[in-house]
Amino acid sequence: MILEMKNIEKHFDDLEILKGISMGVDSGEVVSIIGPSGSGKSTLLRCATFLETIDGGEILYMGKEAAHTDANGKVVYVHHKELREFRSYYGLVFQQFNLFPHYNVLQNLTDAPIEVQHRSKDEAEETAMELLRKMGIEDKAKAYPYQLSGGQQQRVAIARALAMKPEILFFDEPTSALDPELTGEVLKVIRQLADEKMTMVVVTHEMAFAKAVSNRVIFMAGGVIVEQGDPAQVFDDPKEERTKQFLRVFER
């Protein structure tokens, strides 16, 4: 199993955001996380990628423990040097692209492989161009982010995450900042990665996409996993009333 999260708790002051969530992701699996705004979906991703610290539970990558709760109820993370190794296991694609504005597209893709993974410039550039070809934007290698459409920027962001050769890719609502036409461009790329058996966790509001591409769908509400299972079961025959209420909104 690539990722295991056990009994994850997270609160901000008195507000409990995640209430003992457990989930795992196997190699080659595509897991979509759906649910209303404020249900804890993005927070769960931020905890999985160490952008937020957990207040309880365990996080494991590749069977190795990154964080656990000790006998006194205190969460203990591995040393920051070891955490660097854990960070190499995943890539994260944000809603707002987060490209470096002062770097061109090629530099955005090669900076981390060269600086963090100590790959040669030639190797990093060769990998980057291969990924840009795959994304259909190889002609934009020398362009700067401000010269690209939102859909092109998001495809660069996906290529940048892939350039690090991660075991798993996380997407936090990757199309929420895009108009419908550009959304289709990005979903096509994610669908292609799913066909290639890239392991992915996708927080999304695109229900048709989640149903078509996922191996498993997790429905979250109120900081808990209400229901999860095969996409056809969750979307066509949900067991829980809360899931039914949520999906009714998308059927209108």
Side-chain angles (χ1 to χ4, degrees):
M1 192 168 282
I2 290 180
L3 169 69
E4 290 175 84
M5 300 181 80
K6 302 178 181 178
N7 300 314
I8 301 298
E9 295 172 11
K10 177 67 185 173
H11 50 76
F12 296 110
D13 298 322
D14 294 333
L15 190 61
E16 205 177 359
I17 306 294
L18 300 176
K19 305 171 182 176
I21 284 188
S22 296
M23 63 170 283
V25 185
D26 280 320
S27 180
E29 192 177 23
V30 179
V31 178
S32 287
I33 304 178
I34 62 171
S37 296
S39 58
K41 307 182 301 294
S42 293
T43 302
L44 184 64
L45 243 59
R46 291 177 68 80
C47 289
T49 53
F50 313 125
L51 293 172
E52 297 283 357
T53 54
I54 59 174
D55 295 310
E58 290 176 75
I59 302 174
L60 297 93
Y61 276 94
M62 317 295 285
K64 293 185 281 191
E65 201 172 73
H68 72 278
T69 306
D70 68 14
N72 299 316
K74 183 180 178 227
V75 173
V76 181
Y77 280 82
V78 294
H79 189 271
H80 67 86
K81 281 185 181 173
E82 288 177 83
L83 213 51
R84 199 179 302 155
E85 181 194 339
F86 282 99
R87 288 196 171 102
S88 73
Y89 293 138
Y90 62 79
L92 177 57
V93 179
F94 299 89
Q95 297 175 30
Q96 298 293 344
F97 326 134
N98 287 23
L99 300 175
F100 297 124
H102 56 294
Y103 282 176
N104 66 29
V105 166
L106 189 62
Q107 289 168 321
N108 262 284
L109 264 67
T110 58
D111 179 63
I114 292 169
E115 297 299 324
V116 178
Q117 296 181 334
H118 309 298
R119 284 195 245 158
S120 71
K121 187 180 178 192
D122 286 349
E123 186 200 343
E125 287 189 350
E126 188 181 332
T127 300
M129 289 308 299
E130 217 172 274
L131 287 166
L132 291 176
R133 272 193 290 278
K134 186 174 184 172
M135 301 291 150
I137 46 173
E138 62 185 299
D139 59 325
K140 302 295 183 186
K142 298 296 183 185
Y144 284 82
Y146 76 91
Q147 297 172 308
L148 306 177
S149 71
Q152 288 169 337
Q153 288 188 60
Q154 193 59 296
R155 282 183 280 163
V156 172
I158 294 170
R160 181 176 65 176
L162 288 168
M164 297 294 282
K165 301 185 177 177
E167 299 287 341
I168 182 171
L169 263 188
F170 294 100
F171 293 86
D172 187 7
E173 296 188 17
T175 60
S176 66
L178 304 176
D179 65 37
E181 190 176 353
L182 299 179
T183 291
E185 290 178 12
V186 173
L187 295 182
K188 184 180 173 188
V189 167
I190 300 174
R191 193 182 292 258
Q192 183 186 342
L193 292 173
D195 289 342
E196 294 167 5
K197 301 296 180 207
M198 180 73 207
T199 310
M200 294 185 281
V201 176
V202 187
V203 169
T204 185
H205 287 298
E206 300 287 338
M207 297 299 126
F209 170 78
K211 185 176 179 182
V213 171
S214 312
N215 301 108
R216 182 157 46 98
V217 172
I218 292 174
F219 171 63
M220 283 180 66
V224 300
I225 292 175
V226 176
E227 185 163 356
Q228 64 176 309
D230 175 87
Q233 180 262 304
V234 172
F235 284 107
D236 299 334
D237 187 25
K239 303 279 185 283
E240 302 295 328
E241 187 54 40
R242 184 67 187 88
T243 317
K244 292 174 188 174
Q245 284 172 5
F246 175 76
L247 292 173
R248 252 179 239 128
V249 174
F250 288 92
E251 288 165 5
R252 284 175 192 160

